[in-house]
Amino acid sequence: MKRILTYGTFDLLHIGHINLLKRAKALGDYLIVALSTDDFNAIKGKKAYHSYEERKTLLESVRFVDLVIPENNWEQKVTDVKKYEVDVFVMGDDWLGKFDFLKEHCEVVYLPRTEGISTTKIKNDLGS
Ligand code: C2G
């Protein structure tokens, strides 16, 4: 069983997120998503439209996702990789290189972002 792990806020779930999750799952058999809590989003300087519970329910409804766990801080990734026996850590390439320290514990894969879509763009286009 090849286990994949990725992190994010996944607010206003959109095609860019789904493309990431689909490609991440295709790298193995079991996809874990560490979802940024509302408190951690504040640390990241993000204010999500949907609460953690709503974002978690949405992700759990995506057929590529097998487990959603909380992301509470920047420091938990090595612990998570070990705890969940992760084989591959995946992030969009806006994070290229930022998590290479995980290479001593698992494979690290950065996937091309989906162009033309983002939570920020959605908010701006809707004029909020
Ligand atoms: N993503 C993508 N294409 C987009 C938008 C997002 O591939 N058009 C990817 C991002 O690269 C990321 C994932 O979707 O891998 C989730 O995006 P965000 O919710 O914006 O994640 P972020 O806030 O960058 O959180 O510890 C890591 C952080 O929690 C990452």
Side-chain angles (χ1 to χ4, degrees):
M1 161 105 82
K2 199 165 183 186
R3 303 161 67 83
I4 318 292
L5 174 61
T6 191
Y7 290 74
T9 296
F10 294 96
D11 193 24
L12 298 180
L13 199 63
H14 57 65
I15 190 68
H17 297 138
I18 298 301
N19 285 341
L20 187 283
L21 296 169
K22 182 175 186 176
R23 286 174 294 163
K25 180 59 174 287
L27 295 173
D29 309 288
Y30 189 88
L31 175 59
I32 302 164
V33 179
L35 181 61
S36 307
T37 61
D38 295 329
D39 287 348
F40 182 51
N41 272 330
I43 294 170
K44 294 198 310 189
K46 284 192 165 185
K47 174 90 177 72
Y49 175 80
H50 289 306
S51 68
Y52 174 78
E53 285 308 320
E54 288 168 330
R55 290 180 286 118
K56 181 171 185 284
T57 300
L58 284 163
L59 278 177
E60 288 171 339
S61 307
V62 175
R63 63 185 171 90
F64 307 118
V65 176
D66 297 288
L67 176 68
V68 179
I69 62 173
E71 179 186 28
N72 296 297
N73 57 63
W74 291 112
E75 295 76 28
Q76 68 184 74
K77 292 184 173 69
V78 172
T79 306
D80 289 346
V81 167
K82 291 177 180 174
K83 177 178 176 183
Y84 293 96
E85 299 177 77
V86 169
D87 300 291
V88 187
F89 169 89
V90 176
M91 286 301 293
D93 63 2
D94 45 317
W95 292 93
L96 187 65
K98 297 291 190 305
F99 301 114
D100 287 356
F101 64 89
L102 290 170
K103 286 183 175 177
E104 59 185 284
H105 304 284
C106 63
E107 267 184 77
V108 174
V109 174
Y110 300 100
L111 297 173
R113 278 175 69 93
T114 301
E115 296 302 322
I117 185 75
S118 69
T119 303
T120 305
K121 183 177 185 326
I122 293 169
K123 287 179 177 176
N124 292 339
D125 289 356
L126 293 174
S128 65

